[in-house]
Amino acid sequence: MNIHKKLVTACFLLASATSIYAQKLTEYVNPFLGTATLWTPDELGYTRTEVKRAWGAETFPGAAMPNAMVQCTPVTMYHSGSGYQYEDHQIYAFAHSAKGHWDQLHVPILPVTGRFYPYNYCSWFDHSDEEAHPGYYSVYLQRYGVKAELTTTLRCAFHRYTFRPTDEKRLLVDITKNNGRPRHWDIRKSTAANAFEGYQDGHGRMYFYAVANLPVRSVAQQTAKRQTIAVVDFEDNKGDKPLELKIGFSFVSVENAKENLMAEMMDKDFDQVRSAADKTWEDILSHIRVEGGTERQKGLLYSTMYRTFLWPVLRSDVNGEYLDAQGNVKKADFRYYTDPSFWDTYRNKLILLGVITPDVACDVIKSCMDRGDKKGGYMPTFFHGDHASTFVAGMWSRGTRDFDLSHAYKLLLNNATVPGQGGRPYLDEYIQRGWIAEKDTTDVPTEDEYKAAVTKTQEYAYDDYAVAQVAKILGDKDNYKLLMQRSSNYKNLFDPSTGFWRGKIDNGEWIADFDPYYPYYAYMFREANAWQSLFFAPHDPEGMIALYPSHKAVEDKLDSLFSEPWRGYEAWNMTGFMGNYCHGNQPDHSVPYTYYFIGKQEKAQRILNILMDKYYDMGKDHLAYSGMDDAGEMSTWYVLNAIGLYTYSPADPEYIVTVPLFPKVELTTGDGRKVTILREGNGEKIKEILCGKKKVKGWFVDHNDMLKAGELKVVTE
């Protein structure tokens, strides 16, 4: 059965039970969703001329636990996002770290037999012989006649390879390759008879300690045509018994990798580890239970929810040790995690992470503070954004408070008020004049790097608002007043003559070479054009609307955004258009809700329904997103809108209420509070919202009020 049929039958068209409670939720998850790429002009929005593929969702299908150190996943191409593209037909190895960006893929390993070479060793495979579930991946390697099975714990991987009985069992370790272009590595036979160990650099040095169920004869490196690999040979290497390999990992030392292995996996067999992984995922997914809806909608809901809990990832060991930002080994009473992808996931995913796994969210914040203390006194930023403030404010206001808010605030305030390396770029000019200038130039190519000055100005204004909310909680009245004043800075780059946000040069004049349809990677706008940069002021929608002469003018602008056709520009990280709205990238994901604030909520819902229905299982195999998942942001967008609650302003403890896909949703928070969300009627227009028995004024419901009431009803017509 090919994987498209598996998607349809196993995930989306399962037995037509009226309630999901009769079925395991992990059975709805398809880890292949998001691994395919869009190819046709209708799907991309343009005709391809470049040789390289457009960005897909860049998800990976391999075995992983929630927010774990280890992701054990197939590599079909190095330096291609997660390393796996569904259109490929060869597997180079099974790596042990993945994100969905162009890094990771540590310690690639492949079972081999017979003849192979350092420059020619990959195996063909067929999707009909491939299987993936939360915590499990399997594929048949045609070149070597090996069935490969993978499962994981938090810090360890378990490989089970079934060879043909007459073949010699060997392992190839592609120790010189990963997506981080490693310059240093080591692999050697351990003192134990059946073990080998070493490390590999590349986006962090990852140490490993591997134990096989056969004695290790030798570990030797081979080089040919400037390619180097390591080969592990075994004693007693023929017969029916599968080759089993248990590997512990650490970012501290081989000794810690071994300790992680002994603690998490050594006393378990493959099926026990796989079963435990499945149970962990079942527990996570069961925080959202739904009734009604179609089987396809349930499959999309739980497949996207699965993606929400893969990043950030663990970096501390079972003994509490981790490598800090200064390169020193430290020990903490919290779990140490990587930075979140703040620019992408502050919008929604980090809030859902904290609602369902508050212990993880708090440890992520503590990890960020630890790095902030040791890297200049700033809370970490990501890419071009500075959004830890929304995460901290959003978590605290929802009642997730197992971290030192005063400590976090000190760092966040530095980000907002103290220019310097490690903080907000161009903060000095933002403070001085309330906006960031762009270069006065013309004919800028899409991919050229500049300041992304308009986007930064808009987003810094929102960050100021988020930091102000923390200042208010802590009683810092002066900085609260200052930051709230600065939160209106988004208005400074609004051009009333065009109705767009627009760049200015140093002297305050508008950039003359302005085409709202032309997309930029970092000139004026970050990965967007002017259309996609409309209406971003989550903290002040009324003030944003007031920039236009009337509600009708706003409505016309929004209608044009979703209807004016994309002009065919080929931007490799922008795909999946609805008019000029680009669902395949994050900048305009909050724009559809603008209709709410001009009395046209039903128009917003129409857009949301189309996006949920058409933009998440695209392509000929129905496995492509409309664009990049960006560490779970696009996935979480689906989850929240599917259950009727979107984090329009993630710094605030409120959700904008949308029409749920399902007549009944039960949401259970990580601290055990529950709310039932009911949809009455099948229309797109919300007639009434009831929080318990109290009618909600407006469109927003408070997180804590909703959980206290225990029921939210959305009445439609």
Side-chain angles (χ1 to χ4, degrees):
M1 181 183 294
N2 66 42
I3 197 59
H4 171 46
K5 290 180 180 178
K6 288 181 181 179
L7 174 73
V8 176
T9 60
C11 288
F12 296 165
L13 296 176
L14 295 163
S16 56
T18 58
S19 171
I20 198 171
Y21 298 102
Q23 182 174 326
K24 287 179 62 178
L25 303 182
T26 53
E27 294 176 8
Y28 280 97
V29 176
N30 183 5
F32 290 103
L33 189 65
T35 62
T37 306
L38 297 176
W39 296 95
T40 68
D42 286 345
E43 294 166 334
L44 288 170
Y46 56 82
T47 300
R48 293 179 66 250
T49 62
E50 296 185 2
V51 175
K52 62 186 177 186
R53 292 181 268 212
W55 287 6
E58 309 303 334
T59 62
F60 61 89
M65 292 275 279
N67 302 106
M69 181 182 292
V70 171
Q71 301 80 40
C72 197
T73 189
V75 179
T76 64
M77 180 184 288
Y78 288 102
H79 312 296
S80 63
S82 72
Y84 181 96
Q85 302 284 344
Y86 189 77
E87 295 79 14
D88 295 337
H89 300 286
Q90 70 286 328
I91 288 176
Y92 286 88
F94 303 110
H96 296 90
S97 63
K99 179 183 181 184
H101 287 65
W102 285 255
D103 51 29
Q104 312 294 318
L105 303 185
H106 285 91
V107 194
I109 292 177
L110 188 72
V112 293
T113 192
R115 295 175 65 84
F116 55 86
Y117 307 94
Y119 54 87
N120 180 357
Y121 58 82
C122 66
S123 173
W124 298 102
F125 76 104
D126 192 280
H127 291 306
S128 63
D129 296 320
E130 194 181 29
E131 185 177 354
H133 305 282
Y136 175 80
Y137 175 84
S138 174
V139 68
Y140 182 75
L141 301 174
Q142 296 172 351
R143 176 172 178 173
Y144 301 111
V146 175
K147 179 181 179 180
E149 296 176 275
L150 313 171
T151 189
T152 60
T153 61
L154 286 175
R155 302 171 180 88
C156 307
F158 200 142
H159 299 236
R160 182 165 68 186
Y161 299 132
T162 303
F163 289 74
R164 292 172 297 223
T166 56
D167 286 342
E168 292 186 350
K169 302 175 178 68
R170 307 174 81 187
L171 290 177
L172 184 153
V173 184
D174 201 356
I175 196 65
T176 68
K177 281 186 186 173
N178 62 35
N179 269 3
R181 304 183 188 276
R183 298 179 62 185
H184 303 282
W185 60 83
D186 182 42
I187 183 169
R188 57 187 179 274
K189 190 177 181 301
S190 183
T191 54
N194 59 345
F196 61 94
E197 63 192 44
Y199 66 83
Q200 187 189 52
D201 286 355
H203 203 78
R205 175 169 291 184
M206 197 175 199
Y207 297 89
F208 61 91
Y209 183 86
V211 176
N213 62 341
L214 296 174
V216 175
R217 176 187 297 149
S218 64
V219 177
Q221 295 191 28
Q222 298 180 10
T223 301
K225 295 185 178 180
R226 302 174 68 179
Q227 302 292 324
T228 298
I229 59 173
V231 179
V232 182
D233 282 301
F234 300 95
E235 307 282 358
D236 305 322
N237 60 8
K238 292 185 179 181
D240 294 326
K241 186 166 98 171
L243 173 61
E244 293 186 343
L245 189 69
K246 299 178 180 181
I247 317 175
F249 293 89
S250 167
F251 284 82
V252 173
S253 66
V254 169
E255 292 73 24
N256 278 18
K258 182 178 180 180
E259 186 176 352
N260 291 339
L261 179 62
M262 298 304 162
E264 292 185 0
M265 187 177 282
M266 278 307 294
D267 62 344
K268 299 179 177 67
D269 63 30
F270 188 93
D271 293 333
Q272 286 175 318
V273 174
R274 179 185 176 183
S275 178
D278 180 81
K279 183 181 184 305
T280 298
W281 279 112
E282 185 74 16
D283 291 344
I284 291 285
L285 299 173
S286 67
H287 283 270
I288 296 178
R289 291 187 175 273
V290 299
E291 292 186 30
T294 67
E295 296 302 301
R296 174 174 172 264
Q297 288 170 337
K298 293 171 186 173
L300 285 171
L301 172 67
Y302 289 109
S303 294
T304 52
M305 186 176 174
Y306 166 76
R307 290 284 164 207
T308 297
F309 293 92
L310 290 171
W311 191 272
V313 293
L314 190 63
R315 284 292 181 263
S316 57
D317 298 322
V318 292
N319 62 9
E321 290 183 348
Y322 63 95
L323 197 69
D324 74 2
Q326 297 175 337
N328 299 315
V329 177
K330 297 294 182 181
K331 193 169 187 176
D333 57 359
F334 61 89
R335 294 161 297 183
Y336 190 71
Y337 288 93
T338 58
D339 285 334
S341 298
F342 277 123
W343 188 57
D344 310 312
T345 60
Y346 83 94
R347 306 167 198 269
N348 49 39
K349 175 256 185 69
L350 291 177
I351 300 302
L352 185 58
L353 176 76
V355 167
I356 291 179
T357 55
D359 58 327
V360 173
C362 287
D363 283 352
V364 170
I365 292 172
K366 292 174 184 177
S367 302
C368 289
M369 289 192 293
D370 186 88
R371 279 185 289 276
D373 289 338
K374 296 168 182 176
K375 292 183 70 174
Y378 297 101
M379 191 68 88
T381 60
F382 175 81
F383 194 35
H384 97 122
D386 171 40
H387 302 299
S389 54
T390 64
F391 184 28
V392 170
M395 285 297 92
W396 192 271
S397 61
R398 285 170 173 81
T400 300
R401 300 179 176 179
D402 185 23
F403 61 92
D404 186 339
L405 185 64
S406 296
H407 184 179
Y409 175 61
K410 179 181 177 181
L411 297 169
L412 294 173
L413 191 61
N414 285 345
N415 284 49
T417 61
V418 181
Q421 187 174 3
R424 296 183 189 176
Y426 315 112
L427 179 61
D428 49 354
E429 60 178 293
Y430 174 81
I431 291 174
Q432 181 181 356
R433 57 192 171 196
W435 51 276
I436 299 169
E438 197 59 274
K439 185 177 181 180
D440 185 12
T441 186
T442 58
D443 300 320
V444 175
T446 292
E447 294 181 20
D448 273 16
E449 279 283 355
Y450 288 87
K451 292 181 180 179
V454 175
T455 303
K456 280 186 172 68
T457 298
Q458 290 175 304
E459 294 182 345
Y460 286 1
Y462 183 56
D463 292 329
D464 286 341
Y465 170 82
V467 180
Q469 304 317 296
V470 183
K472 184 178 181 180
I473 293 168
L474 295 174
D476 185 352
K477 295 180 181 180
D478 290 341
N479 279 311
Y480 172 75
K481 182 179 179 181
L482 169 69
L483 293 166
M484 285 301 292
Q485 289 173 344
R486 281 173 35 180
S487 73
S488 293
N489 283 344
Y490 73 92
K491 299 176 182 179
N492 294 337
L493 293 182
F494 178 74
D495 175 13
S497 70
T498 63
F500 290 101
W501 275 259
R502 182 177 178 181
K504 289 181 179 179
I505 60 177
D506 272 322
N507 66 6
E509 294 178 0
W510 296 114
I511 286 176
D513 188 14
F514 179 72
D515 177 357
Y517 293 91
Y518 191 83
Y520 296 103
Y521 187 68
Y523 185 66
M524 293 191 283
F525 313 107
R526 172 56 78 182
E527 298 180 15
N529 64 13
W531 280 105
Q532 293 143 16
S533 304
L534 286 168
F535 304 117
F536 183 84
H539 57 302
D540 187 23
E542 289 80 10
M544 176 181 66
I545 295 299
L547 295 172
Y548 291 82
S550 66
H551 281 192
K552 182 64 167 61
V554 174
E555 184 179 4
D556 290 345
K557 201 75 170 180
L558 284 165
D559 290 349
S560 296
L561 167 65
F562 293 107
S563 60
E564 278 284 320
W566 181 250
R567 300 294 177 90
Y569 293 114
E570 185 172 10
W572 52 296
N573 59 344
M574 296 171 65
T575 56
F577 299 95
M578 186 176 180
N580 260 260
Y581 172 87
C582 179
H583 199 64
N585 210 352
Q586 283 68 34
D588 52 359
H589 276 186
S590 63
V591 172
Y593 309 96
T594 310
Y595 279 116
Y596 276 69
F597 309 112
I598 58 170
K600 299 292 181 179
Q601 169 274 324
E602 67 277 12
K603 280 194 169 184
Q605 192 61 51
R606 195 166 305 143
I607 298 294
L608 300 179
N609 286 345
I610 292 170
L611 294 173
M612 286 188 283
D613 186 50
K614 303 293 186 182
Y615 288 68
Y616 279 85
D617 56 352
M618 300 175 71
K620 67 183 181 69
D621 296 298
H622 296 275
L623 292 175
Y625 279 18
S626 57
M628 191 175 177
D629 190 35
D630 274 317
E633 188 279 342
M634 190 175 291
S635 291
T636 310
W637 189 97
Y638 185 96
V639 174
L640 291 172
N641 282 290
I643 67 173
L645 303 169
Y646 190 69
T647 50
Y648 181 76
S649 175
D652 292 308
E654 297 175 333
Y655 307 97
I656 196 166
V657 177
T658 65
V659 179
L661 289 181
F662 307 94
K664 183 178 180 180
V665 178
E666 289 184 356
L667 170 65
T668 304
T669 65
D671 58 8
R673 294 183 289 171
K674 296 183 180 181
V675 62
T676 300
I677 305 167
L678 301 173
R679 188 194 74 210
E680 187 175 297
N682 295 307
E684 293 178 335
K685 186 173 183 178
I686 296 177
K687 179 181 178 182
E688 187 177 54
I689 304 169
L690 296 171
C691 183
K693 296 181 180 180
K694 185 178 180 180
K695 185 175 180 179
V696 174
K697 295 180 180 180
W699 304 110
F700 290 89
V701 61
D702 181 85
H703 174 86
N704 298 297
D705 290 347
M706 176 182 69
L707 290 166
K708 184 177 180 180
E711 182 178 284
L712 183 73
K713 182 181 287 187
V714 184
V715 182
T716 70
E717 60 181 12

